[in-house]
Amino acid sequence: MKAKARLIMMGLIACGAPAIVSAQKPSAQTPPTENKEFEDIELRSLDLESEIGTVKGYKLRMRRLILRPGGVIGLHNHKGRPTVSYLIKGTLTSRSPGKPDLVITPGGGHTVGMADNHWVENLGTETAEWIVVEVAK
């Protein structure tokens, strides 16, 4: 359980969770007890227990990736580096040997685990930008 809590904390730090501290008076407002006008939508998830035996030596990281029209990310795998992604703009085609192509459009994404070998291409006319969250050494 400690490892899971540590992994969550690393994710919060990677996402910019630390607050900027400024000299202000404590709030006199009563803290709210319920959420209002709030949505929490899980976009992708991947069971880490089936991917990694231990999280020792690993970090959770978030990256913004950019692939220009005609660009390619060559054949690679995610062994020891499970990944979830979310496409912000553009269109990507993820290709795996012997499997149908996966065309990803804005608002979509995919989950990639250790059993996946794939490459990614931008066959469109717009630069593709996406957020990748992964566990990596």
Side-chain angles (χ1 to χ4, degrees):
M1 193 62 182
K2 278 186 178 178
K4 190 174 186 179
R6 198 173 303 128
L7 190 58
I8 290 170
M9 181 59 72
M10 289 187 302
L12 291 173
I13 292 169
C15 292
I20 297 174
V21 179
S22 62
Q24 296 179 356
K25 289 183 180 181
S27 174
Q29 180 181 358
T30 303
T33 58
E34 295 181 12
N35 298 330
K36 180 179 176 184
E37 298 296 322
F38 172 73
E39 288 184 55
D40 181 351
I41 301 167
E42 182 175 298
L43 300 173
R44 301 274 181 268
S45 67
L46 185 63
D47 177 25
L48 293 179
E49 191 172 340
S50 64
E51 296 288 332
I52 301 172
T54 178
V55 294
K56 185 173 182 167
Y58 285 85
K59 62 183 174 183
L60 179 64
R61 69 180 177 183
M62 178 186 294
R63 300 184 298 153
R64 186 178 115 209
L65 303 179
I66 299 169
L67 191 61
R68 290 175 183 76
V72 175
I73 299 172
L75 181 64
H76 62 281
N77 65 52
H78 287 257
K79 187 171 184 172
R81 195 171 51 92
T83 303
V84 294
S85 67
Y86 181 80
L87 187 64
I88 299 167
K89 72 176 200 172
T91 300
L92 294 172
T93 302
S94 179
R95 296 185 163 161
S96 298
K99 295 182 182 177
D101 290 352
L102 174 64
V103 177
I104 306 163
T105 56
H110 66 134
T111 303
V112 186
M114 70 175 142
D116 298 303
N117 291 309
H118 72 129
W119 70 96
V120 179
E121 298 180 39
N122 182 347
L123 303 174
T125 58
E126 180 182 12
T127 296
E129 289 187 37
W130 68 109
I131 301 295
V132 171
V133 178
E134 62 189 352
V135 175
K137 279 197 169 205

